[in-house]
Amino acid sequence: LLFLETVGNPVAVSPNHGLALEAGARGWPTLQCLPRGGRPGVGELLRPAGFYGGVAAATAAALGLGLLNRSRRQAVDLSLGLGADIGLGLAGVEVKVVRGAEHLWSARPCLFLINHQSKLDPFLVAKMLRGGFTGVMKAEARNIPGFGQLFQFYEIAFVERGDTEQAKAALAPAVAKLRDGGVSLCMSPEGTRSATPALGQFKKGAFHIAMQAGVPIVPIVFRNALEVQWRGAQMIRPGTVETVVLPPVDTSGWSVETLTDHVQRVRGMYLETLANWPGPTTDVGEPT
């Protein structure tokens, strides 16, 4: 329903009983489609297999190099960039920066914000940022088979929902890294993946962190990450994810009393960018 409400001419395609009743009540037309049937093709199975295998191989190689050089940070940075390159490459996913590639580097250390849509988003970010950053995830992500251990290796801060004291304790190391000037932080102000392409409401947690650490915010706007892997999907479709990196937002003059206004202003920057998408595109890593 949330998705259909965002479009100009909603049509309920192959609706279940509940959606069919709601569509009828709202006067929406319905469209029944014949099932595709059969099993996924070889290409459809190879893409996710290549993605996960590539990420695993790069992580193993980076871990070995990190142990050899006794540098966990080197291992993390190498596995992030190399794992994203190999995994996304084997899955047929490209990342294009439409505008603002220079802002990926100009304000570090900083807080990078993304509009979170897909399970691929952390790897899209890793391909763009290469290294020198960490992130924050909900505590449940620690239990994802394989990826939970990977996230812990990457020094992700895990936060329990609704537990203020634990949340502060989990975020304290990330805030310290921002203050020390070495490692940036990447978060989703929506708190979780969007249920639709529409931008969700922003929570204040990330903005508090930026304000307390005294670092700028760099908004990263994804437009079509859902097209390569929909929320909840396991298969990965080949395609190009476009992104805009907005100029750094200074937080030095922020206060708790004015924080709500700052949150809405940053969210408005996302809405404006999504509504007026620029061009042309630039490959990640190429000079602009």
Side-chain angles (χ1 to χ4, degrees):
L1 290 175
L2 288 173
F3 177 75
L4 288 172
E5 287 173 348
T6 65
V7 300
N9 298 288
V11 177
V13 180
S14 295
N16 60 21
H17 180 67
L19 180 56
L21 290 176
E22 187 66 27
R26 298 185 182 216
W28 293 346
T30 60
L31 175 66
Q32 295 292 343
C33 297
L34 294 175
R36 181 176 61 177
R39 298 180 178 179
V42 175
E44 292 177 286
L45 295 174
L46 287 179
R47 278 191 293 272
F51 172 77
Y52 294 122
V55 170
T59 301
L63 179 60
L65 182 61
L67 291 175
L68 181 64
N69 294 331
R70 298 182 179 180
S71 173
R72 180 171 182 172
R73 188 71 248 172
Q74 182 187 55
V76 169
D77 288 348
L78 182 60
S79 67
L80 285 170
L82 185 61
D85 286 342
I86 295 177
L88 294 174
L90 291 173
V93 177
E94 298 182 34
V95 182
K96 298 279 189 179
V97 176
V98 175
R99 187 178 66 196
E102 67 275 12
H103 302 314
L104 294 171
W105 307 97
S106 63
R108 297 196 190 193
C110 63
L111 175 63
F112 291 102
L113 295 184
I114 65 168
N115 53 322
H116 193 15
Q117 296 186 329
S118 168
K119 286 189 294 186
L120 292 182
D121 288 350
F123 301 95
L124 302 177
V125 170
K127 184 173 180 64
M128 298 171 66
L129 302 184
R130 310 307 301 173
F133 76 98
T134 187
V136 176
M137 292 184 175
K138 58 186 179 181
E140 299 94 295
R142 187 191 287 115
N143 301 321
I144 300 175
F147 279 99
Q149 291 75 20
L150 187 64
F151 294 148
Q152 293 179 62
F153 170 64
Y154 289 156
E155 300 179 316
I156 296 293
F158 296 100
V159 183
E160 294 285 353
R161 293 179 176 179
D163 188 340
T164 303
E165 293 304 317
Q166 196 280 338
K168 290 180 179 178
L171 291 175
V175 174
K177 290 177 182 179
L178 281 170
R179 285 176 173 167
D180 293 341
V183 179
S184 295
L185 187 65
C186 183
M187 295 182 66
S188 165
E190 296 166 285
T192 187
R193 282 172 288 170
S194 302
T196 76
L199 190 68
Q201 293 298 320
F202 282 10
K203 300 179 181 179
K204 294 182 180 179
F207 298 87
H208 274 291
I209 291 173
M211 184 175 63
Q212 293 171 18
V215 298
I217 286 174
V218 177
I220 297 176
V221 188
F222 291 124
R223 182 170 71 157
N224 56 340
L226 281 172
E227 293 184 12
V228 294
Q229 188 177 46
W230 195 263
R231 178 178 177 173
Q234 300 303 319
M235 295 299 176
I236 302 174
R237 296 181 178 180
T240 299
V241 177
E242 294 184 353
T243 181
V244 166
V245 186
L246 299 177
V249 178
D250 184 15
T251 65
S252 59
W254 288 13
S255 67
V256 175
E257 292 75 19
T258 61
L259 190 61
T260 298
D261 294 335
H262 297 306
V263 172
Q264 292 305 315
R265 182 168 70 87
V266 173
R267 185 173 183 272
M269 295 166 62
Y270 278 81
L271 293 172
E272 174 67 20
T273 303
L274 290 167
N276 300 281
W277 197 256
T281 59
T282 301
D283 285 315
V284 167
E286 292 184 357
T288 55

